[in-house]
Amino acid sequence: MKISVQREDFDVSLETRNLSRGGGVGAVASFVGVVRDVRMTLEHYSGMTESSIRKIAEQARTRWKVTDCTVIHRYGELAPHDQIVLVAVASAHRGDAFAACEFIMDYLKTQAPFWKKEHRPEGAAWVEARASDDDAAGRWEPPARKAS
Amino acid sequence: MKVKVLFFASLREQLGTASEEIDLPAGVGTVAALRGHLARRGGPWEGALAEKKNVRAAVNQDMVKPGAPIRDGDEIAFFPPVTGG
């Protein structure tokens, strides 16, 4: 398992190729988050970011057959179209790889301590958390705890 | 009881500080009590940490609920809901 919180950019094809070399791997699913149309600064809680991502990835490994996974999240100054985050999951089959990748990403959005500040012409502003992100993470909760 | 308190993002900016060491009076034994203790400083503290504000907390780098206990030497962080990814 590779977890990295870094300023530098990352190479998706290199990371997914590394995962595909694992024994028994038949599928690698990856997600890349990119900056939309605005310059931003990403702040994080050094130490907790790494440990929280590790916990999320370990949860994914208990729920699906995951051979290995890589999560890279950047911080610092980012420009439009820059890559922000990579979640890549290797598994024997695509079902587990897709599900674990989405699970890790959904939990990362609500659990990993990162904060985005956007720099727009009218001034800088912190991005507000969205309820839809909590909903996305909540759908992975066990059925007994669902509202319906 | 001495603890280290950290503030992040908009909270850090509103309070004008990223971290401080605090000697807590007896009776401040949970995250919620610490938040109330800090809010009673008034001014920006009262505004940023008011009960109606959506503030999250971590103890020793684990996200916790307001009722979580705090102990001597703990690192407690307050921050707005996260927006990474």
Side-chain angles (χ1 to χ4, degrees):
Chain A
M1 188 156 69
K2 174 180 171 180
I3 310 289
S4 178
V5 178
Q6 61 189 47
R7 278 186 187 278
E8 308 75 44
D9 197 12
F10 49 82
D11 180 341
V12 179
S13 64
L14 173 73
E15 300 299 339
T16 54
R17 201 159 51 238
N18 284 342
L19 284 175
S20 68
R21 293 195 178 115
V25 170
V28 177
S30 66
F31 171 87
V32 179
V34 297
V35 179
R36 286 192 184 83
D37 52 0
V38 63
R39 205 162 53 79
M40 62 171 64
T41 307
L42 256 156
E43 178 172 329
H44 76 121
Y45 182 175
S46 181
M48 184 178 164
T49 39
E50 292 85 348
S51 62
S52 64
I53 294 170
R54 188 166 294 279
K55 269 183 225 151
I56 296 163
E58 276 163 5
Q59 270 186 61
R61 298 187 80 154
T62 65
R63 296 180 64 152
W64 293 278
K65 286 178 184 150
V66 171
T67 312
D68 198 4
C69 69
T70 293
V71 181
I72 301 175
H73 203 301
R74 295 177 67 191
Y75 66 93
E77 307 297 320
L78 294 170
H81 318 302
D82 277 355
Q83 304 185 117
I84 305 175
V85 59
L86 166 70
V87 176
V89 178
S91 181
H93 302 285
R94 72 181 184 283
D96 288 298
F98 274 132
C101 183
E102 195 169 19
F103 171 90
I104 292 170
M105 195 56 218
D106 282 349
Y107 269 84
L108 190 152
K109 294 280 290 185
T110 60
Q111 302 293 312
F114 290 96
W115 301 273
K116 289 184 184 126
K117 187 181 202 178
E118 294 182 342
H119 303 280
R120 296 183 179 279
E122 61 270 26
W126 291 97
V127 173
E128 296 278 332
R130 298 190 311 182
S132 61
D133 288 336
D134 281 329
D135 295 344
R139 73 201 162 99
W140 298 101
E141 299 282 327
R145 292 177 60 188
K146 270 187 186 162
S148 62
Chain B
M1 175 164 79
K2 273 195 177 135
V3 296
K4 185 177 186 186
V5 188
L6 308 178
F7 306 100
F8 289 93
S10 54
L11 212 52
R12 171 179 54 75
E13 287 185 349
Q14 284 163 29
L15 301 174
T17 182
S19 76
E20 66 172 294
E21 308 264 345
I22 308 179
D23 213 344
L24 291 176
V28 181
T30 65
V31 168
L34 171 59
R35 179 174 167 178
H37 177 71
L38 294 172
R40 281 192 291 279
R41 288 174 169 177
W45 296 87
E46 194 176 0
L49 297 170
E51 267 181 50
K52 63 177 193 294
K53 289 291 167 68
N54 199 350
V55 174
R56 306 286 165 92
V59 173
N60 298 327
Q61 307 197 348
D62 264 325
M63 203 94 85
V64 295
K65 297 219 154 62
I70 53 179
R71 298 180 180 86
D72 189 50
D74 277 352
E75 175 178 294
I76 299 120
F78 291 102
F79 43 81
V82 303
T83 56

